[in-house]
Amino acid sequence: MMTALWSIWWVWIVAALILAFVEVFVPAFVFLGMAVGAVVVGVALGFGALGWVGAGLPTLLMLFAVASLIAAIALRRAIGVRQGQVKLWDRDIND
């Protein structure tokens, strides 16, 4: 019996590693939040925490989306732009 690829825990962990690697080249905290979301889904699948809901693709994608959003907001608050932090330019490059 072939198990669906999205219901294998290590596939989500590998996806998280790929997203974290992409974050190195595109530093915007977007892919890092998605990497955290993929780790949450992978760990939940690995420990069997999603067995009671059936762990279908819609459920996994919803958990991934919610965990990614929460992680992105937390990362933005923790290491993002601070309130009132503005770059002021006092001279032009041509001066």
Side-chain angles (χ1 to χ4, degrees), residues 5-91:
L5 195 60
W6 62 77
S7 64
I8 302 172
W9 68 272
W10 61 263
V11 172
W12 286 94
I13 301 299
V14 169
L17 290 172
I18 292 170
L19 288 167
F21 182 74
V22 170
E23 178 64 35
V24 171
F25 295 105
V26 186
F29 301 129
V30 175
F31 293 105
L32 191 58
M34 290 192 303
V36 171
V39 166
V40 167
V41 174
V43 168
L45 281 171
F47 285 119
L50 298 177
W52 58 274
V53 292
L57 182 59
T59 304
L60 294 175
L61 290 177
M62 180 61 79
L63 177 61
F64 171 70
V66 170
S68 296
L69 179 65
I70 291 170
I73 290 171
L75 285 169
R76 187 71 175 167
R77 287 191 177 270
I79 55 179
V81 177
R82 300 287 181 224
Q83 185 176 5
Q85 182 179 2
V86 178
K87 175 68 176 171
L88 296 176
W89 299 95
D90 57 356
R91 65 180 188 92

